[in-house]
Amino acid sequence: QVQLVESGGGLVQAGGSLRLSCAASGSIFSINRMGWHRQAPGKQREPVASITSGGSTNYADSVKGRFTISRDNAKNTVSLQMNSLKPEDTAVYYCNAMITDSAWWKGDYWGQGTQVTVSS
């Protein structure tokens, strides 16, 4: 069974930094896209950043220049370095990955979420 486990959320002051990590485990054959979404209270979940197995990245306009996504294909991990954090970045952050398991079933997997709170 495939699962994603996030770590690294917390409370930080505006202007500070946090690093989120996510590890995929289980019967994994391959991982295509990995990324992060977030959901603030009363708002819809939105994409933040994504990265392909080849290293191509995409960012939401609101985080460009402040957040950096990276991955380690050998360890099946993805990280999100968040700098110059703003109160509006406060949300639950979810790791997401498109994974093909050892039975060749391809699915879209989600982590349990980690809270990021930025105080003003």
Side-chain angles (χ1 to χ4, degrees):
Q1 185 175 359
V2 174
Q3 62 175 355
L4 300 178
V5 177
E6 301 117 333
S7 61
L11 172 64
V12 65
Q13 288 188 333
S17 299
L18 280 175
R19 185 177 180 85
L20 306 182
S21 296
C22 172
S25 62
S27 300
I28 296 171
F29 176 76
S30 66
I31 303 178
N32 188 1
R33 175 188 44 78
M34 302 186 83
W36 295 89
H37 284 62
R38 68 186 180 187
Q39 187 167 19
K43 295 187 177 181
Q44 288 189 332
R45 191 174 298 189
E46 63 177 5
V48 175
S50 65
I51 184 168
T52 67
S53 57
S56 296
T57 58
N58 245 316
Y59 295 94
D61 287 344
S62 59
V63 307
K64 281 181 181 176
R66 301 188 297 121
F67 292 9
T68 302
I69 190 170
S70 60
R71 66 187 280 176
D72 185 328
N73 291 331
K75 296 181 179 179
N76 291 335
T77 59
V78 62
S79 297
L80 186 68
Q81 178 65 41
M82 305 184 294
N83 298 328
S84 302
L85 282 161
K86 304 175 180 179
E88 51 263 45
D89 294 317
T90 295
V92 177
Y93 284 70
Y94 296 91
C95 176
N96 168 247
M98 183 64 69
I99 296 174
T100 301
D101 67 17
S102 57
W104 292 87
W105 190 85
K106 190 174 183 179
D108 198 17
Y109 291 87
W110 293 85
Q112 79 284 359
T114 184
Q115 177 70 46
V116 171
T117 303
V118 184
S119 63
S120 57

